[in-house]
Structure formats: C-alpha cells, structure tokens
Amino acid sequence: MFLGIGMMILTGLSWIITGIVMGRAPKENIIVDSLIFMGACFSVAVGTATGCFSGFPAWSGMLPVIAGCMFLGGIFCGFQLFFMSRAMQIGPNGVVWSLVQSAFAAPFLVGVICFRTPASLWRWLGFGAAVMSVLLIGFLKSSGKSRYGNWKTTAFLSFVMTAILQVLCNMPSYFPESGSVSSVWRSTFCAGGTAAGIFFFYAFRCRLSDFRRNLATTLRRKKAWQLCLLMQSFSLGSSYLLLYPGMDLLADAGAGAIAYPLMVGSCLIGFEVYSVAVLRETRSFLQWLMLLLCLSGVVLLIF
C-alpha cells in the first residue's frame, strides 16, 4: 500500500507540467485544442508501438468495458483541458487549477457507494471540505470576461469534465480483470478518446475545415512541438510506470478511493508554489480559504 501511495504522489507532481503547458500555450498564441489533439495522437502512436512490442491484453468479457471506460474518460479529458486552458487565460491559474482538481471528490463518492470502499468519518469530512471549496468559487470576484466567457463558469465546466474523467479512469482498477490490461494500453485507449473528443468537438461545433487549418498552423510552430513533447514525456512516463499500477495497488489494498486525493494533494501544492513563485500571482482571503479547504479535504480523505 505504501508503494501505491508513493506512486500516486509522484504522479500528482508530474501533472503540474500539464497545468503549466495549458496555461502557457495561449500566451504563445498556440491553439490549445490543436495542441491537445497533437499530444493525444503522439500518445496513441507511442502507446500502440509500445503495446505491440510488449504484448496485447488477454481477451476477457471485461476487456471492452475497461477499454470503453478509458476511451470515454479520454473524451472528457480533452474537454477538461480545453475549458481549463480557457479559464486560465482570464483567471488566476492557481485558483482555476485548485477548483478543477477538487473533482477528486467524485471518484471517492463512487468508490464508497458503488464499490464499498471503507469510508470513515474523517473521509466524509474530507469530502465535505472538497465540496465547500467548489461552492466557494461563487463568492470569488471575477477577473473579467473575454470571448471565452467568465472564468468561473469555464473553470466549473472543466471541474465537471474532470469529475467524469476521474470516475471513468479509476473504475477499471476495481475490476479483477484490469490486471490483464497493461498501463500502456489503458493510456493508449484514453489518448485515443482525447483525440476523438477534440475531433468531434470541431465536427459538431465548428467546421472541419477550421480544424484542419488550425492543426496545420499548430504543426508548423516549433514552440508547439516543444510544449507537446514536454507535456507528453511526463504524461506518458507517469501513466506507464506510476498512475495505473499505483491505482491497482491501492484498489487491491481496499484503498482505491484515496488514489486521486493523493495525486491531487501533491499536485495542488506543487502548482500553487509555481503560481505564486513563478507567475507572481497574488491571493485574496477567499482564494486562500478555497485552497486550504481543498488541501484539507485531500488530507482527511487519506485517513
């Protein structure tokens, strides 16, 4: 169990890179949805090659369910990154990140209700603190609007997408058959969903000609490739070696519900240090209170 806890903490720290890239890309005039699509396709290519070399998952009746959960989770992952980046353009990066990561309360609730994960009083208090941190966003002053809308609304949409994503991606760890599906294939299924989600987003909301033009523009940008490779190198490394193996270890120990809280806690602390020390963001009393509630929720959910 302690090995699983350590793996979750390291995974959470690696997530900081994704937050940095999603906040940085718009400042470099890089089209975020095209960058997400690039990264997802890169992940699918690497994952497929690695998976073919290491072996295909053994067939079982649960394989389509596991693959389906990861693919659907990937679709919501694309939407999550899309809305989060929009919110970061006009809102405080650290506060947006904290709100989005508060979605760890969702897989905890599903684990307790659907998979009978033990829930002590401390864990329920932690869940309540996480919910309060989300509700507190309504009292924060908006920093303005843009063509992407109010940052609080956009950040909340990212929060909802993250909650669904985490539930879907955490669910296969509760199935005994998940051991036959390696972390490489799970990551590849998820990345395929992300690419499909961005594509269908354009197909239904915009014209595909716009998608092709934006993608071509992004592919010609050296900076886009640098950010893509930076994000994917950490993402693939943590997914293959830490994320899914760690979640399986915790689920086997009867502590699957604390996987995301552990990752979120380390991620929140690391990203907050980055936001204050590097981005020079300031915090109001309510913003500090929101962060404190979120971190308290993470700590309490571990017990």
Side-chain angles (χ1 to χ4, degrees):
M1 180 172 174
F2 290 107
L3 176 59
I5 290 174
M7 294 168 79
M8 294 299 93
I9 292 174
L10 290 176
T11 299
L13 291 175
S14 73
W15 285 356
I16 298 172
I17 302 300
T18 299
I20 292 174
V21 170
M22 288 298 102
R24 185 66 187 172
K27 296 179 176 64
E28 299 286 346
N29 294 319
I30 293 172
I31 303 168
V32 174
D33 26 344
S34 296
L35 179 64
I36 297 171
F37 185 81
M38 280 175 57
C41 290
F42 180 84
S43 180
V44 169
V46 173
T48 301
T50 305
C52 290
F53 179 78
S54 61
F56 294 93
W59 174 259
S60 71
M62 289 300 296
L63 179 58
V65 177
I66 295 171
C69 284
M70 299 308 302
F71 188 84
L72 285 174
I75 291 176
F76 285 101
C77 179
F79 293 156
Q80 172 230 16
L81 295 174
F82 180 85
F83 287 119
M84 181 175 69
S85 180
R86 296 309 195 251
M88 283 180 167
Q89 292 184 52
I90 52 176
N93 283 207
V95 176
V96 171
W97 185 258
S98 299
L99 171 67
V100 171
Q101 297 306 319
S102 296
F104 68 81
F108 164 76
L109 197 60
V110 171
V112 170
I113 295 175
C114 299
F115 297 99
R116 306 296 179 90
T117 299
S120 63
L121 175 62
W122 294 113
R123 289 185 179 180
W124 281 114
L125 289 174
F127 174 78
V131 172
M132 285 299 298
S133 72
V134 175
L135 296 177
L136 194 61
I137 194 73
F139 296 97
L140 298 177
K141 291 183 178 180
S142 175
S143 59
K145 297 182 178 180
S146 74
R147 62 191 179 95
Y148 302 121
N150 186 297
W151 72 266
K152 291 189 291 185
T153 301
T154 312
F156 184 74
L157 286 172
S158 183
F159 163 82
V160 173
M161 298 296 111
T162 305
I164 299 172
L165 151 71
Q166 291 187 359
V167 168
L168 288 169
C169 290
N170 195 34
M171 195 174 296
S173 293
Y174 291 104
F175 305 144
E177 294 85 356
S178 64
S180 64
V181 184
S182 70
S183 57
V184 172
W185 283 112
R186 280 194 255 181
S187 299
T188 303
F189 293 143
C190 186
T194 301
I198 293 296
F199 178 82
F200 286 118
F201 176 83
Y202 265 91
F204 286 101
R205 187 173 182 270
C206 311
R207 293 182 304 176
L208 288 178
S209 58
D210 294 335
F211 173 75
R212 290 193 296 267
R213 184 175 62 254
N214 291 341
L215 182 60
T217 300
T218 305
L219 289 172
R220 289 194 293 267
R221 293 286 306 277
K222 179 180 178 181
K223 191 66 176 180
W225 281 103
Q226 291 174 343
L227 291 177
C228 177
L229 292 175
L230 174 65
M231 181 171 61
Q232 290 304 313
S233 60
F234 280 87
S235 176
L236 291 176
S238 65
S239 296
Y240 289 176
L241 303 176
L242 301 172
L243 175 58
Y244 300 114
M247 286 197 297
D248 290 345
L249 287 173
L250 290 178
D252 291 341
I258 71 171
Y260 273 101
L262 285 169
M263 291 185 282
V264 169
S266 58
C267 182
L268 280 175
I269 294 172
F271 196 82
E272 187 64 20
V273 171
Y274 167 78
S275 298
V276 174
V278 179
L279 298 181
R280 305 294 182 182
E281 292 184 353
T282 57
R283 296 285 181 269
S284 67
F285 171 76
L286 283 177
Q287 289 172 342
W288 281 118
L289 181 59
M290 176 185 167
L291 178 65
L292 179 61
L293 281 170
C294 189
L295 288 175
S296 298
V298 171
V299 173
L300 291 171
L301 278 171
I302 296 174
F303 295 100

